[in-house]
Amino acid sequence: MTNERIKEILLDIEETGIDFSVIQTGKESKRVNGFYKPDTHEIYLHNLNFKSDNELVYTAVHEYTHHKITEKKLEEDPTYVCNSKVHTQEFWAKFGALIAIAEEKGYYSLGLDGNAELKELTEDIKTNYLAKNGELMQEFGKKLARAWELCKEANIRYEDYIDRVLCLPRSSEREIRKIGASQINPAIGFENMKVVASVKKKDDRMAVEQQFIEGGKSPASVREMMKQKSAEYKKEDPKTRLEKEKNRLEKTIAQLTQRLEVVEESLANL
């Protein structure tokens, strides 16, 4: 596949307002399959790493995602300089969207249907590991909730019980107990259940869960969707946002005033 054809495919997946070039290095690399230079907008592909055009397109879309993210950042801030942390949640969400378009248009194929053994193994993993682990952790959360009740009845500090008896990190305990209290489909797996359980509103939780079940979205894509939706909520209600900021400032001022009084009293007694 020529450089021109790769560029043509990428532009058909999604247009860009900044011109870029595609360069196949004719080399093999053990470190990376390709890289993007944001200052010159060049996509480099180590094409000897790939056994098929399908693999080549996958990496090309990956590097093109860097280009699209750079374009977005420059639109937001013309002085933007690409930093070292390039594989952000925003990046993976954008990559997921672009590779899905590439698949829809026939430029790329995951190829799962063509591998009977892998397809069978995938069903085994989903059914007997992801789903069963989700069910187990859901039941675990209910057991922890009961332990909390028993500790309270017996005047036992639940935190100490978690720390020194179960030796369970408190952050993990909170996540697991939250999952136990929520009606979440365990088929999505424990890690994705944590994402769903973090959503406060029931309707929003159901919408996020459906993204995992029916949308075929990656965890990064779902998290980015949640982030954007949260940002939209804040934009829609500036009064509430300002009221919250006012409350925070008032609390801070009250705390500082109280501290100032203590310091002044201490100085007066010296």
Side-chain angles (χ1 to χ4, degrees):
M1 189 178 293
T2 65
N3 294 333
E4 291 74 18
R5 177 56 181 159
I6 295 170
K7 183 174 181 178
E8 183 181 293
I9 288 171
L10 295 175
L11 287 171
D12 190 45
I13 291 170
E14 187 169 291
E15 289 285 345
T16 176
I18 299 177
D19 193 26
F20 66 97
S21 56
V22 175
I23 301 154
Q24 296 183 72
T25 64
K27 298 178 182 178
E28 182 179 355
S29 172
K30 293 182 179 179
R31 292 181 63 250
V32 293
N33 289 321
F35 59 93
Y36 173 69
K37 286 189 174 182
D39 52 339
T40 57
H41 308 301
E42 293 174 312
I43 292 174
Y44 286 84
L45 303 171
H46 295 311
N47 49 300
L48 293 188
N49 281 19
F50 313 118
K51 295 179 180 179
S52 67
D53 285 345
N54 200 50
E55 292 178 305
L56 178 64
V57 169
Y58 182 87
T59 299
V61 174
H62 178 106
E63 302 308 331
Y64 188 56
T65 305
H66 286 301
H67 177 73
K68 291 298 298 180
I69 293 292
T70 298
E71 179 182 27
K72 180 176 179 290
K73 297 297 183 185
L74 286 171
E75 287 175 356
E76 295 170 350
D77 178 10
T79 64
Y80 169 75
V81 177
C82 183
N83 57 40
S84 57
K85 189 179 180 181
V86 291
H87 291 126
T88 61
Q89 178 176 285
E90 182 184 18
F91 169 87
W92 289 117
K94 183 64 177 178
F95 172 66
L98 293 180
I99 202 68
I101 296 171
E103 196 162 25
E104 288 172 8
K105 295 197 170 189
Y107 298 129
Y108 169 77
S109 173
L110 179 60
L112 190 61
D113 292 334
N115 191 317
E117 184 180 357
L118 180 57
K119 192 174 182 180
E120 184 180 348
L121 179 62
T122 301
E123 288 304 313
D124 180 31
I125 291 171
K126 285 184 173 182
T127 304
N128 296 316
Y129 295 88
L130 285 175
K132 285 188 178 178
N133 184 49
E135 290 173 3
L136 184 65
M137 297 308 285
Q138 201 167 50
E139 188 62 27
F140 187 9
K142 293 175 182 177
K143 298 291 184 184
L144 288 174
R146 181 56 182 158
W148 180 85
E149 292 173 354
L150 293 174
C151 284
K152 189 176 181 181
E153 291 172 8
N155 296 320
I156 295 172
R157 285 303 298 263
Y158 178 69
E159 297 87 348
D160 194 22
Y161 171 76
I162 290 297
D163 290 342
R164 298 195 299 125
V165 178
L166 296 185
C167 300
L168 188 65
R170 294 190 187 187
S171 58
S172 298
E173 182 277 334
R174 285 192 296 271
E175 289 177 331
I176 296 167
R177 193 147 56 98
K178 192 180 290 185
I179 284 172
S182 304
Q183 297 298 318
I184 304 171
N185 189 339
I188 64 177
F190 174 57
E191 292 299 323
N192 293 334
M193 290 171 78
K194 289 194 291 185
V195 175
V196 176
S198 69
V199 181
K200 293 180 180 180
K201 294 182 180 180
K202 183 179 179 180
D203 289 345
D204 290 343
R205 274 201 307 274
M206 292 175 64
V208 172
E209 182 180 304
Q210 286 303 112
Q211 288 294 315
F212 284 118
I213 295 173
E214 298 178 358
K217 298 289 182 64
S218 69
S221 297
V222 174
R223 287 193 181 96
E224 186 64 20
M225 178 199 74
M226 291 165 59
K227 180 181 174 182
Q228 291 175 2
K229 194 168 185 179
S230 176
E232 287 175 6
Y233 282 151
K234 291 177 182 178
K235 287 179 182 178
E236 288 171 2
D237 192 4
K239 182 181 178 182
T240 301
R241 186 174 71 252
L242 289 171
E243 286 175 347
K244 287 182 179 179
E245 184 179 0
K246 178 176 176 288
N247 290 334
R248 285 196 300 269
L249 290 171
E250 287 174 344
K251 286 180 182 178
T252 302
I253 291 168
Q255 291 170 350
L256 291 173
T257 301
Q258 186 178 12
R259 178 59 185 164
L260 179 59
E261 290 174 356
V262 172
V263 171
E264 287 177 340
E265 185 177 345
S266 298
L267 285 171
N269 292 330
L270 288 177

